[in-house]
Each structure stands twice: as C-alpha cells, then as structure tokens.
Amino acid sequence: MSTPDNWRKSSYSGPGDGNSCVEVANDLTQVAIRDSKTPTRATLNFPTGVFATFVGSLKTRAHPTAIGSSRVRD
C-alpha cells in the first residue's frame, strides 16, 4: 500500500485523549496503521486477514478474564 488517502482515527480518540491514537487506512487487500501524532513516520502494513488476527489478540490481552487467559495468584 503506497500512500493511502483514506486515513481515519480510532473511534476511541477524543478531546480527552489529546488526539493520541492510531489512524487506520485500508484497501481490499491491506490495512495500514500509523501514530496520529507523527503521521509522516513509518506505518505498519498488514494483509487484511493478518490484521484481523492482530486486533483479535489485542482484544484478548485487554480482557485478562477472557477464555484461555491465565490469572496471577497472590
């Protein structure tokens, strides 16, 4: 993906976040992500299916009580 022109900010970005978020652009075969604070720096590019797996793993890590996760005992 060369320079996508359809960048959009995360839906979690808002005035309280200081616009510190990621931006996403996609086409039929790839998804690109970049840091909204430094949009001219490097981007991460993923094939569409790989990006879905990547996001799914982040969701699992964000919810430690998800199925298959381990809990730390006191």
Side-chain angles (χ1 to χ4, degrees):
M1 177 180 292
S2 53
T3 316
D5 58 359
N6 61 342
W7 290 104
R8 60 194 181 282
K9 286 191 178 183
S10 165
S11 60
Y12 289 97
S13 177
D17 296 330
N19 292 327
S20 299
C21 65
V22 296
E23 295 176 325
V24 178
N26 65 297
D27 64 17
L28 294 176
T29 61
Q30 295 186 64
V31 177
I33 60 174
R34 69 182 181 186
D35 185 344
S36 65
K37 295 181 305 283
T38 55
T40 58
R41 287 194 155 176
T43 62
L44 295 174
N45 296 307
F46 297 90
T48 304
V50 173
F51 183 73
T53 302
F54 172 70
V55 170
S57 71
L58 294 176
K59 288 179 180 181
T60 301
R61 291 174 190 237
H63 300 286
T65 58
I67 296 173
S69 65
S70 60
R71 298 183 71 175
V72 176
R73 296 181 186 203
D74 295 289

